[in-house]
Amino acid sequence: MHSMAPIVLVLLAAVLVVTLCRSLKVPAMLGYLVVGFLAGPGVMSLIPQGEETAFLGEIGIVFMMFTIGLEFSLPRLKAMRQLVFGMGFAQVAATMLLVALAIGFVSGSALTGFAIGGALAMSSTAIVSKLLTERLELTQPHGQLAIGVLLFQDIAVVPLLILLPAFAGGSETLWLDLAKAGGKVMVVLALLLFFGQRLVRPWFHLVARQRSGELFMINVLLVTLGVAWLTELSGLSLALGAFVAGMLISETEYRYQVEEDIKPFRDILLGFFFITVGMRLELSVLFSRFGEVLLMLLLLLPLKLGVVLGLGRMLGHRANDSMRAALALAQGGEFGFVLLALSMNLKLVAAPMAQAAIAAILISMLIAPFLIMHGERITRRLIKQDWMLQSLDLHQMLVASMSKSEHVLICGYGRSGQALARLLEAENINLFALDMDPERVREAGEAGDQVVFGDAGKKEVLIAAGLMRAKVVVVTFADTHAALRILHAVREVRPELPVIVRTVDDSEMDVLRGAGADEVVAEVMEGSLMLASQALMEAGVPPSRVLRRIRAVREERYDLFRGFFRGSSDEVESLDEALVPRLLSVQVCGGAAAIGHPLGALKLAELGVEIKAIRRQRARRTDFDDAFEISPDDVLVLLGTPEQLALAESRILQGD
């Protein structure tokens, strides 16, 4: 009979170690790596190390890449092609060349250098993508740079798996094999992207009409694993196929629901992947071959970091973006294990040297979370230009706020911040907003809203946003710790300035008032007041003229609050919440089907979509009718549900 003891012990260790990691504010993946080391053959031998456990862990990477694909779209991928095939190719080629020269010199074998160079050129897709996603840095320039390189690394594994056996056996048909593999890759990706675009949306419509959450979940698993399996059959990686599947679904209105449904599978299986990685660590190798492990580690972290940083600067990327991407990509990756195992089987790399390389990759993967977490701090210390760039950002913010005086400074541009901004605009009151969600800032900025990216808890950012000329500061998000930082910064510069703070309930009111808040608006209390006033009115209590006027004003303003710009840090809604109207900024790029046509010809009202505003040449317009002709680079601000907005965007850009 099989014993449940090993499984229970592994789960217990995972809960304890991951809880400790979170308490210490250390990435949970480090806890999984430690659990893998403890439960693996190196210590307690609770989990057997074999192909089955490795494959189960790889499925976690599949779901991780699938969720990253949901953040992308085909237009964005096309825009990134130079980054993927330019920066990505240059990184792999340069790293392989430098490592091959060093290992070839030490070992005396060029083939050994080539094999280890290919393994060390890879980075960990799982670690980088997970940490960038958790830190909301996936859409930032350094995040895009890192993901672009990782995508090429996944593609580069295919020719490397062909080259290693060919070099080992002296194949005479090497170029023919590479040409066939390249052709297969192009055909498979073209078919998936071409037919997938036309099949995914109607297929999901068919499944969603059955109104079964269970069926919808099964369908998500089918599409994710099915596309990954097809790419694996063609010689590509499972992770690349899952990325394509996610990208196809991102074009549909089901994107957010799919992302929410897939989370439990992704997080659990990805955690198991890190456990399987930790199982590979052998202390005996670290002690017996310490010199070789140290050499491999030096070829990984400093050399790889320098390659990515240098290439980023050569290709025109900002110094701080290149540095942060280099810190994210400096470690080894899971595909390195695959290439090293193949190299050992082909006798290209001796087993002791391969074990040293595996140990170095594992150590680099343990170091990687700290490099990514503290990337901004490290960049500030190592790159002096970053201070200049920050000064430039503050200068640009200062220029944007120079025209503002006697304005309301809004800290946080979520739903509450946007609702406040619309009410202030209706009363012709100047405002300026700060927000830390880059996706929300981009969307709202394209629509012409007065919002910039910045941390309102920093004194220099508040000053650049016009704190010295502001009439009032409003903290619109219910985060007491962040609100206290903002209050401290404001009181240090302008102690007399009124500050209004939002909180969930009255439990933190005394703390916030003690820190200098003039007014604290508690959501629960406001809700209670609204319920009480409505109940009294319905019970026949005659309201005063003031109360009637306040109620009328509130009812008039409710329409202004409809819709909000969704940010990447907003929680993913359920199917019912997906019916809530939201705002979307659609830029009419060159070649869009709507260019030259009047608004009325789009017939967006038939889809249930309302055009709230149009931004043309930095001017926001609300005085338009159906005869208004659309021009290139116009930004249309649309109001509707996610499904309606997806159809409207497709009609504007593609004419569907």
Side-chain angles (χ1 to χ4, degrees), residues 411-542:
C411 303
Y413 207 63
R415 290 194 185 190
S416 299
Q418 293 172 42
L420 173 61
R422 290 169 203 158
L423 186 57
L424 293 173
E425 287 177 347
E427 297 295 335
N428 294 318
I429 297 175
N430 286 334
L431 65 101
F432 197 78
L434 297 169
D435 196 89
M436 285 291 290
D437 190 320
E439 183 69 15
R440 183 185 293 128
V441 170
R442 184 186 63 81
E443 284 277 353
E446 287 180 356
D449 289 12
Q450 296 293 309
V451 57
V452 298
F453 181 86
D455 184 0
K458 295 182 178 180
K459 182 172 62 176
E460 60 270 19
V461 172
L462 289 172
I463 294 174
L467 179 66
M468 305 306 295
R469 303 183 304 278
K471 194 171 185 178
V472 62
V473 174
V474 183
V475 182
T476 64
F477 48 85
D479 185 336
T480 302
H481 178 71
L484 291 173
R485 288 176 55 223
I486 296 171
L487 284 167
H488 177 73
V490 172
R491 291 295 171 241
E492 189 175 343
V493 180
R494 288 193 63 186
E496 82 288 353
L497 185 67
V499 181
I500 303 171
V501 180
R502 170 189 161 199
T503 185
V504 176
D505 52 39
D506 57 348
S507 62
E508 304 288 347
M509 290 183 68
D510 292 338
V511 175
L512 292 168
R513 282 179 175 164
D518 292 270
E519 294 292 340
V520 180
V521 179
E523 295 176 3
V524 174
M525 293 179 65
E526 284 298 314
S528 300
L529 289 173
M530 282 294 298
L531 285 171
S533 63
Q534 293 295 328
L536 289 171
M537 290 179 186
E538 294 296 332
V541 178

Side-chain angles (χ1 to χ4, degrees), residues 68 72 80 129 132 138 142-152:
I68 292 176
F72 282 76
M80 287 180 63
S129 56
L132 290 180
L138 202 62
H142 67 276
Q144 297 280 291
L145 189 59
I147 292 298
V149 173
L150 287 170
L151 287 176
F152 183 83

